Amino acid sequence: MSTIILRISMSLILPIGLVFALYMAFKGHNEPGGGFIGGLMAAATLAIFRMSSGAAELDKLLPCHPRVLVSLGLSIALATAVAPLFVGEGLLRSYLWDLNLPFGESLHIASAMFFDVGVFLVVVGICVGMISRFSEELEL
């Protein structure tokens, strides 16, 4: 069921929801949040978009098939987890970097952030894949 109000409001909800999901994913290193929570928020936003606009529009929006997102996310998470083993450190060892930005600001970057990106992609891929598959079953 899609109404004109839902379709028009999605033009605001979609970008705000995806930006907030990315914010939750990246702030999770120091505060509650992380890749799993951010991925769930992105998947919920994409599910609402799918309800309002249909499967064809969701397929146009996503850059690739959900299986590719899951594979890419697992690869990033695995690479981040085992990379410290190559320099003699333990599995899942996290490194920290501080980048100095203009105007006296600094950016705190942790290698665990890449693990969160992998988890984010896995969660989005699995949830969108499940929603698409269930929708296909209902439409048959």
Side-chain angles (χ1 to χ4, degrees), residues 63-76 121-122 125-126:
C64 55
H65 195 275
R67 276 180 276 172
V68 176
L69 288 177
V70 172
S71 301
L72 181 65
L74 284 174
S75 299
I76 292 171
L121 292 175
V122 168
I126 288 174

Side-chain angles (χ1 to χ4, degrees), residues 30-110:
N30 294 324
E31 298 176 33
F36 188 80
I37 300 298
L40 284 178
M41 295 181 80
T45 303
L46 293 172
I48 296 170
F49 177 76
R50 199 246 181 245
M51 287 189 306
S52 68
S53 302
E57 292 297 318
L58 181 61
D59 290 341
K60 287 181 192 175
L61 180 68
L62 289 178
C64 55
H65 195 275
R67 276 180 276 172
V68 176
L69 288 177
V70 172
S71 301
L72 181 65
L74 284 174
S75 299
I76 292 171
L78 181 65
T80 304
V82 299
L85 294 176
F86 293 109
V87 293
E89 296 287 340
L91 186 71
L92 289 171
R93 168 82 162 84
S94 184
Y95 295 94
L96 301 173
W97 300 282
D98 284 318
L99 296 177
N100 293 323
L101 299 175
F103 308 110
E105 298 292 326
S106 66
L107 180 63
H108 177 77
I109 297 176

